[in-house]
Amino acid sequence: MRLENKNIVVTAAAQGIGRSTAIAFAKEGANVIATDINEEKLKKLKEEENSIQIHKLDSTNVDQVKEFSNSIDTVDVLFHAVGFVHNGTILDCSSEEFHNSMNINVYSAYLMVNFLIPKMLSNKNGNIIIVSSAASSVTGAPNRFIYGTTKGALNGFIKAIAADFIKQGIR
């Protein structure tokens, strides 16, 4: 098993990419902690793959993320899949929708990395995977104004993390 004894946190693990990834990591022998705001769907994930630990978590809530981080000793991999897709152009995006998308797609990544990277640094080893999209700084997509904006921000975010911490074993 390729990931045996690896402690992996997967966010947005109750459905979609996060769910599939949590199951795949568990099948490779990882100790998976699956987080999501949807506790009912997390419980269904646990029923399907009993080895996965589940933890209800709003990744946009600083207090919850801090408490979650304090509850785990080590993390080898953070797989951050939290995301929201807003449909429309800039003219369809209210100030509230813009803020909400930035909060969910970008701020959640900031919180998770900010609280978990010290655990990786203490081991001089860790991997941070942030789910992004080609609809970002790579290329634009019709009716994906704020989605592309937030995913472009995440591309810059992870490049900055890599530049700052690659020499300390964080990839």
Side-chain angles (χ1 to χ4, degrees):
M1 299 220 178
R2 296 182 305 166
L3 298 175
E4 195 167 12
N5 298 320
K6 296 291 182 186
N7 297 315
I8 301 179
V9 172
V10 179
T11 63
Q15 58 192 2
I17 293 169
R19 185 178 196 284
S20 296
T21 301
I23 291 169
F25 284 158
K27 288 189 182 304
E28 287 296 330
N31 303 315
V32 176
I33 303 172
T35 72
D36 201 287
I37 197 167
N38 189 323
E39 190 170 27
E40 289 307 310
K41 287 187 178 181
L42 273 178
K43 288 177 182 176
K44 289 179 182 175
L45 170 65
K46 176 79 172 168
E47 289 172 9
E48 182 176 334
E49 186 60 54
N50 189 49
S51 67
I52 294 175
Q53 299 173 54
I54 59 170
H55 190 99
K56 182 179 179 187
L57 177 66
D58 177 352
S59 295
T60 67
N61 182 302
V62 66
D63 294 328
Q64 287 185 31
V65 174
K66 183 177 182 180
E67 181 181 327
F68 170 73
S69 174
N70 289 338
S71 76
I72 59 175
D73 294 325
T74 62
V75 61
D76 298 296
V77 178
L78 167 62
F79 186 92
H80 186 69
V82 171
F84 172 75
V85 181
H86 174 273
N87 184 46
T89 70
I90 191 171
L91 300 176
D92 303 311
C93 182
S94 69
S95 180
E96 181 180 320
E97 290 168 321
F98 187 91
H99 175 76
N100 185 54
S101 292
M102 291 297 286
N103 189 47
I104 293 169
N105 294 359
V106 181
Y107 183 61
S108 67
Y110 161 78
L111 287 177
M112 294 302 296
V113 172
N114 187 53
F115 282 104
L116 292 178
I117 201 169
K119 294 175 185 301
M120 295 176 181
L121 289 169
S122 69
N123 291 331
K124 297 182 172 61
N125 188 29
N127 293 279
I128 300 169
I129 302 163
I130 307 284
V131 176
S132 185
S133 174
S136 62
S137 56
V138 178
T139 188
N143 294 308
R144 291 294 184 265
F145 160 70
I146 187 56
Y147 180 76
T149 299
T150 61
K151 293 302 182 171
L154 288 173
N155 291 348
F157 174 94
I158 204 63
K159 287 176 185 179
I161 298 292
D164 289 339
F165 296 103
I166 191 86
K167 290 182 180 176
Q168 290 142 298
I170 309 302
R171 297 170 294 288

